[in-house]
């Protein structure tokens, strides 16, 4: 990425980013290359103490950063990955130091790259430090965005009204040349459009009814054996999954999930471990059973994946864009949300290189391209689960069989395993799974009989 090229963008003035999650932090960094000032507004008070915060309750659950996501963060903040590792994040060789069981098959352990494993608050705190070090960016926490400010005809957003959370009388108006909604999937950008007299974007939802339960443990160094993570994915016959990964400073997280109420993981500590014991085995699991928990069991409900089609809107006001989960929230079990948030910021950076004229439309088109494959991939995997309504049973069964066959092939064939890993970690196109050799291996492993 050529920074000098981005500096030729014609924008200047003040950009305000609402929400200091991963999407907001990355967007602020992209904007700092062309705006004189960037203000990052966050509703929470940012303690930076490594604990999950109120506005990001998912922070208590496993947050894998894909190889692609780490590469984009490294482009925005050169040296970031090394600094994280120096601070204690686990640096792990994928696929050879992780045990991944997808659709019932243990993927062949071929080395295909390096991944960084850390808790979401750890990662976010360090990303925020990197953003704070950018001279043009100011972080304003403890402020909630409550309304957009627009020109008389509402054709342009020119700022935002803020308030101290819980103190409605404490409003302050902030002028801006660009307002970025990075307020997460419950963000207000779509409702703001409607309030300004525009259509709301069409929404695509896929009901998955996934629930998570997670707990962190301290595992003595070396006690878990040579591997640094264990992932057991859900299958149509057993819609439950588990992720157990080493994170920073010998902390490990055990996250359990299930599709549909009967398979939601329990939060009572004994039942939580019994649920896990049905899925896990091996040295990592044995180490965890003996380990000391350092948190309570946290729960999180995820009702549906969500995509908002801003790129299809005919009319948009200037000066307002949405990004991150506010545009697309993927089923978290595929671990791609932070990566697509970073990819959208990279798309924003590209668009800003051509100035700010017609920015919302150009950005939404470009973001839609970045989102197409991750959305397709995660919703296809979801549709193979009979617990996910809305898919013809015959199609769901066909998808289930084809995933199962590919994973069986990936158990013995390093090329197939690498293609699966690269697709999941968004480092290469899933088209590699359609290579003749991979297809032939898949067909040789096609399951006979029903899934069960
Ligand atoms: C259980 C779970 C597990 C996940 N696991 C993974 C994983 O393994 N890997 C991965 O890549 N992704 C994972 N994700 C997804 C990931 O958390 C998000 O996709 C990613 O963080 C991008 O989110 P965001 O920044 O758009 O929104 P958020 O992270 O939701 O951040 C939004 C921010 O906006 C702030 N805010 C909200 N309203 C206002 C307001 N009115 N004014 C000011 N500020 C406001 C919030 O306080 C918050 O800080 C997981 C998600 C869940 C739910």
């Amino acid at each position: 990425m050529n920074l000098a090229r981005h500096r030729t963008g014609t924008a200047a003035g003040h950009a305000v980013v609402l929400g200091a999650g991963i999407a907001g932090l990355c967007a602020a960094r992209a904007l700092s290359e062309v705006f004189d000032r960037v203000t990052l507004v966050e509703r929470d008070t940012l303690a930076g103490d490594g604990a999950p915060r109120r506005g990001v309750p998912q922070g208590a659950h496993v947050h894998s950063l894909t190889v692609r996501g780490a590469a984009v963060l490294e482009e925005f903040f050169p040296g970031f990955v090394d600094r994280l590792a120096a601070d204690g994040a686990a640096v792990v060789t994928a696929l050879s130091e992780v045990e991944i069981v997808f659709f019932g098959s243990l993927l062949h352990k071929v080395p295909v790259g390096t991944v960084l494993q850390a808790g979401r608050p750890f990662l976010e705190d360090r990303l925020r430090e990197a953003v704070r070090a950018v001279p043009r960016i100011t972080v304003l926490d403890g402020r909630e965005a409550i309304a957009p400010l627009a020109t008389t005809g509402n054709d342009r957003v020119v700022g935002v009204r803020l308030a101290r959370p819980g103190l409605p009388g404490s409003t302050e108006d902030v002028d801006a040349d660009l307002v970025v909604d990075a307020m997460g999937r419950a963000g207000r950008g779509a409702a703001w459009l409607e309030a300004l007299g525009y259509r709301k974007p069409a929404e695509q939802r896929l009901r998955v009814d996934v629930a998570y339960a997670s707990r962190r443990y301290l595992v003595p160094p070396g006690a878990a054996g040579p591997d640094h993570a264990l992932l057991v994915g859900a299958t149509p016959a057993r819609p439950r999954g588990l992720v157990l990964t080493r994170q920073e400073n010998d902390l490990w997280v055990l996250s359990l999930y299930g599709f549909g109420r009967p398979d939601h993981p329990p939060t009572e500590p004994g039942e939580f471990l019994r649920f896990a014991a049905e899925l896990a085995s091996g040295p990592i699991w044995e180490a965890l059973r003996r380990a000391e928990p350092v948190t309570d069991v946290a729960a999180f409900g995820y009702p549906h994946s969500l995509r908002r089609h801003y790129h299809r809107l005919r009319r948009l006001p200037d000066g307002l864009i949405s990004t991150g989960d506010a545009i697309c929230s993927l089923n978290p079990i595929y671990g791609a949300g932070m990566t697509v948030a970073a990819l959208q910021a990279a798309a924003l950076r590209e668009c800003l290189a051509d100035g700010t004229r017609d920015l919302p439309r150009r950005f939404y088109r470009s973001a839609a391209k970045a989102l197409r494959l991750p959305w397709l991939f995660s919703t296809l995997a979801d549709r193979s689960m009979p617990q996910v309504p809305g898919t013809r049973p015959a199609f769901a069964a066909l998808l289930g069989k084809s995933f199962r066959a590919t994973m069986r092939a990936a158990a013995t064939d390093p090329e197939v395993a690498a293609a699966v890993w690269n697709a999941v970690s968004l480092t290469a196109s899933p088209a590699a799974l359609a290579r003749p050799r991979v297809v032939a291996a898949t067909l040789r492993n096609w399951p006979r009989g029903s899934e069960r």
Side-chain angles (χ1 to χ4, degrees):
M1 183 78 45
N2 178 357
L3 261 183
R5 188 159 71 81
H6 291 277
R7 292 214 175 97
T8 63
T10 55
H14 184 207
V16 174
V17 181
L18 308 173
I22 304 298
L25 290 163
C26 292
R29 172 66 185 86
L31 292 163
S32 72
E33 289 175 5
V34 286
F35 280 86
D36 299 327
R37 279 191 307 133
V38 179
T39 306
L40 181 55
V41 176
E42 168 56 47
R43 184 172 52 195
D44 284 349
T45 302
L46 299 168
D49 55 3
R53 56 189 177 83
R54 196 169 171 204
V56 185
Q58 71 267 35
H61 305 272
V62 66
H63 262 67
S64 326
L65 179 64
T66 68
V67 177
R68 181 86 183 277
V72 179
L73 294 184
E74 184 67 25
E75 265 184 21
F76 278 131
F77 304 99
F80 181 71
V81 168
D82 281 349
R83 280 202 298 280
L84 236 67
D87 273 0
V91 181
V92 172
T93 307
L95 212 44
S96 59
E97 291 182 323
V98 296
E99 296 225 310
I100 300 188
V101 182
F102 280 159
F103 279 78
S105 297
L106 174 64
L107 264 52
H108 191 86
K109 293 175 113 186
V110 51
V112 285
T114 304
V115 284
L116 206 67
Q117 296 180 175
R120 159 76 191 243
F122 179 92
L123 174 72
E124 193 191 289
D125 287 353
R126 272 140 197 89
L127 197 56
R128 201 167 52 244
E129 275 166 26
V131 164
R132 277 199 160 118
V134 177
R136 297 180 190 198
I137 303 179
T138 309
V139 180
L140 204 59
D141 63 347
R143 311 289 204 293
E144 182 176 14
I146 55 172
L149 306 172
T151 47
T152 320
N154 285 347
D155 55 346
R156 179 170 192 92
V157 169
V158 291
V160 62
R161 179 157 298 161
L162 307 179
R164 300 256 177 193
L167 294 173
S170 63
T171 58
E172 55 185 301
D173 289 352
V174 178
D175 294 341
D177 301 284
L178 178 68
V179 174
V180 177
D181 154 30
M183 293 181 279
R185 66 183 259 148
R188 304 173 182 189
W192 284 1
L193 275 188
E194 201 173 32
L196 293 171
Y198 295 83
R199 278 181 189 275
K200 275 171 113 172
E203 282 188 1
Q204 192 177 352
R205 293 177 179 217
L206 181 64
R207 180 157 177 79
V208 292
D209 189 16
V210 164
Y212 268 66
S214 301
R215 191 168 208 190
R216 291 184 98 192
Y217 296 80
L218 196 58
V219 177
D227 290 327
H228 300 267
L230 168 67
L231 270 77
V232 181
T235 68
R238 193 216 51 221
R240 300 179 173 195
L242 164 151
V243 185
L244 179 44
T245 61
R246 190 181 134 211
Q247 302 186 316
E248 69 277 6
N249 304 322
D250 298 316
L251 286 166
W252 286 65
V253 66
L254 170 59
S255 282
L256 309 176
Y257 65 84
F259 283 84
R261 182 168 273 279
D263 290 288
H264 285 174
T267 52
E268 191 282 317
E271 290 175 25
F272 174 79
L273 280 182
R274 276 192 287 284
F275 185 111
E278 286 173 17
L279 300 166
S281 61
I284 294 185
W285 171 240
E286 292 309 323
L288 186 108
R289 273 147 93 93
R290 291 190 299 273
E292 179 200 342
V294 292
T295 61
D296 291 333
V297 181
F300 194 98
Y302 186 88
H304 52 259
S305 306
L306 170 69
R307 212 175 152 191
R308 296 194 172 104
H309 294 284
Y310 282 93
H311 62 291
R312 293 193 188 147
L313 288 174
R314 285 173 183 224
R315 284 180 64 241
L316 286 163
D318 269 334
L320 176 66
I321 60 173
S322 293
T323 186
D325 277 14
I327 299 189
C328 180
S329 159
L330 299 164
N331 184 345
I333 69 168
Y334 307 113
M338 297 190 295
T339 299
V340 297
L343 287 172
Q344 288 173 68
L348 178 61
R349 181 190 225 189
E350 285 292 326
C351 293
L352 285 168
D354 293 327
T356 50
R357 200 185 49 77
D358 202 21
L359 182 68
R361 190 170 312 283
R362 288 191 293 117
F363 167 68
Y364 288 132
R365 263 193 223 132
S366 181
K369 268 192 209 151
L371 292 169
R372 203 177 54 222
L373 279 180
W375 173 264
L376 181 72
F377 197 69
S378 82
T379 52
L380 272 182
D382 283 339
R383 285 183 193 285
S384 71
M385 305 296 290
Q387 297 73 15
V388 169
T391 306
R392 285 217 191 108
F395 183 58
L398 180 68
L399 280 175
K401 280 191 173 183
S402 72
F403 284 126
R404 190 159 168 183
T406 306
M407 300 314 158
R408 276 187 184 175
T412 52
D413 185 325
E415 184 182 334
V416 184
V420 168
W421 169 259
N422 286 331
V424 171
S425 54
L426 304 173
T427 36
S429 161
L433 291 166
R435 270 194 226 128
R437 212 182 144 277
V438 177
V439 172
T442 297
L443 291 175
R444 277 197 303 279
N445 284 280
W446 199 261
R448 288 165 225 278
S450 91
E451 269 302 290
R452 279 169 205 282

